[in-house]
Structure formats: structure tokens, C-alpha cells
Amino acid sequence: MAVRKLGVLTSGGDCPGLNAVIRAIAHHAVSNYGWELWGIAYATQGLRQRQAIAIYPHSFDRQGPDPLLCSGGTILGSINRGDTLAQQAEILAGYADLGLDALIGIGGDGSLAILQQLARAGGWQFIGIPKTIDNDVAFTERAIGFDTAIHTVAEALLNLGSTAASHDRIMIAEVMGRQSGHLALHGGIAGGADVILLPEIPYRLPELCHYLQQLRDRWQRRYAVIAIAEGTHHPPEVDRSHAGLGEQLAHAIAAHDARLEARVTVLGHVQRGGQPVASDRLLAAQMGYAAVERIAAGASGEMMAWQGGRVVGVALDSVCLHSPTLVDPHSALVDTAAGLGIFLGDRNLAPWRGSACPTH
Ligand code: F6P
């Protein structure tokens, strides 16, 4: 069926680069294919409530650079909670009432799985675009927002490093990444962390403290920066009565060696905000363009994926099956971190080896 009205929505936790994807879709779909583009408010809630706005190219850039290219967040709004599938009938009815011929959904693995289910039930022509600072969507080397979040984490770690050095302290930064440590690993290496703790690699407290003592005694490095992913599992010797992973670690380190004074920073939603870096804007342009091309070609049930320097289409069903992806404890990047002398815990204790997904 020929496309006349294309919908676009953003779903799940926001991240930088979403507006740049919407912009790319608008330019290609409206200017080149002559379709109408409708932005759906608040993901599937907008379908249910029939809330959509027409999006045109050049709406915002008549007086200067396009804010859609550079702004964080999503102009459409998003949701990352609620039992969406319980509202399936209303959502499908809303989609039909809006008269959409096809839909592009920008989301993480959870949102894409829900949208794929709705698309199948409703017979929608649907294409997904991966976004998440966690970068744990299978079969894509990069999701929108990840590069910017790496930059944010790395900058924060560098800032922590300079104040840590002034006071001979251990700085612990809690990094986002619900189940996976991709962001902590990439941001930690780029930000010069001495220790990177991940959900995927177990560590023992005595070894960690020994490493910190060695830094001090052997190299006269009297401070250290620790990046700890939010899903990390502490070993039994860490007392969990304090609130928060970072605080628990800080107390455990100080209890082990009183010379090791630690402070904690929870980077939190700062990691999801801000302007997308150039590489995220570039990825957004390529994924937005490619998604429109796939819609024009009549494709459905695909996700745009970044593999080997280009965008390809992969089956959404396999993406959902293999997501979220974890850090491979034996990947080249983990080897690199270990080679740089970063403490990562004990990779031989990692319960899981190798990636189910060839691109992670
Ligand atoms: O999945 C993205 C993410 O930012 C995770 O890294 C984090 O655990 C979670 O979302 C936070 O969600 P919320 O915005 O609901 O607090």
C-alpha cells in the first residue's frame, strides 16, 4: 500500500539525538517522498489518545541552525512505564483513527519489543530505530544517545579526577546502565577511570583495596577514580546497609583501609541530557534516512542497525530475542582496559563468556 501518512514516536527513557532523528525523517519523508509526517505525543499514549502533530522540514531553522539537530530530549515526549499491552485495543483503534499508513518508532529494546507486538497485532507497517544510553540493543554496534552519554560520563570522571587529586581521595561515580556495563566501560576508559566495576564481571573487595593501595604505595598516586555501573553486584564482604551502590562501596573501602577516603557522585539523569555530540547527530541522520527508505520499499518488522560503518536492516524479532546485550568480559575493549592497568575485577569469575550478539 502506498504511504501517505507516516507516524513517528519516541518511546522509553529519553536520550540526546532523538530530535535529530525526527528531523532526518521529516526532511526525507516530507521533502523527497511528499508524505505527511505526524509526530505522536508520548509514545503509545499519543496513539491511544489520538494526539499527533504535523511535522515539516525547516519549521525551526529559518533564523539559524535547527534546534532539532542539536537539542536533547524529545519534542514528542516519551514514556517508560505502564502496562502498554493492556491497552492494546485502544492503541490499535487510535492508530486506525489517525489514519496512519506506517510508523517509525525510536526506542530501546523494551519499547521496540512492545511496538513490534502492537504492529503485528494491528498489521502496521513498522520500522524501529534503536536509542539508549545503555547501548544494549542487540545487533547494532551503536544506539542513538550512547556516544553523547559516553562523552558526559568521561567529562564527569575527568572533573572528579582533578578534585580527587587535590584531596588525595577516592572518587566513586555511579554510572547508568540498567543491566549492562557498556556505558561504564566506554565512559570509564575515555574518562581515565582507575577502576571500572560492571554487572558482568565479579570483583572481590580485598583485591580492589589492594589495587588502590598499590596505586598509592608503588606509583605514589594518592587518588583514584572508580566508575561503577548501576547494575553491579557487590561481593558478600560489602555491607549493604548504606543506601546506594556507591555509598556501600565507599564505606567498605574505608572500613578496609582508613587511609582510603572516598566520596560518591551519582551521575544520574545528567547522563541522559544535553546536546547530542556530532557522532550521534550523524548516526541520527543516517538511521532516520534509512528508516524512511525501508518504509518506501515496503519493509516492516525491521530495526535499523549500525554494523561495520553503515546502517542495515535487521529482523526486529531477533533483536528482541537477543536484547539486552551484556558486556563480553573477554572482548577487545575489556582487554584494552585491562591492558591499561584498569582494575575490572576477575574476568575468570564472570558467569557469562562471549556474546550472543556478534556486534557486541
Ligand atoms: O535505560 C535507560 C536508563 O537511563 C537506564 O540506564 C536507567 O537505569 C534507567 O533508564 C532510568 O530510568 P528512569 O528514567 O525511569 O529513572
Side-chain angles (χ1 to χ4, degrees), residues 80-81 132-134 176-178 230 269 272:
N80 66 348
R81 292 280 180 276
T132 168
I133 66 164
D134 299 352
M176 272 188 172
R178 216 185 296 262
E230 66 176 329
H269 289 79
R272 291 234 303 258

Side-chain angles (χ1 to χ4, degrees), residues 218-294:
R218 181 170 175 208
W219 301 107
Q220 287 76 53
R221 253 292 295 281
R222 302 173 66 83
Y223 72 94
V225 175
I226 300 178
I228 179 168
E230 66 176 329
T232 300
H233 315 284
H234 283 317
E237 58 268 24
V238 172
D239 171 10
R240 286 160 221 202
S241 56
H242 302 280
L245 270 189
E247 284 297 340
Q248 290 164 4
L249 183 60
H251 282 87
I253 289 173
H256 198 272
D257 181 341
R259 293 184 308 160
L260 300 173
E261 185 195 18
R263 292 285 187 276
V264 180
T265 303
V266 179
L267 299 183
H269 289 79
V270 164
Q271 298 159 100
R272 291 234 303 258
Q275 295 197 346
V277 295
S279 56
D280 262 330
R281 303 201 291 263
L282 206 50
L283 187 63
Q286 292 174 95
M287 287 205 171
Y289 167 84
V292 170
E293 282 295 287
R294 294 308 291 151

Side-chain angles (χ1 to χ4, degrees), residues 291-349:
V292 170
E293 282 295 287
R294 294 308 291 151
I295 295 278
S300 188
E302 280 184 15
M303 185 191 78
M304 298 298 95
W306 185 252
Q307 289 183 7
R310 67 195 183 100
V311 179
V312 298
V314 294
L316 253 172
D317 284 339
S318 325
V319 171
C320 299
L321 202 63
H322 289 103
S323 298
T325 58
L326 301 179
V327 170
D328 178 349
H330 301 278
S331 68
L333 194 60
V334 179
D335 284 346
T336 302
L340 293 177
I342 296 171
F343 179 92
L344 291 149
D346 189 344
R347 292 198 272 167
N348 295 321
L349 296 179

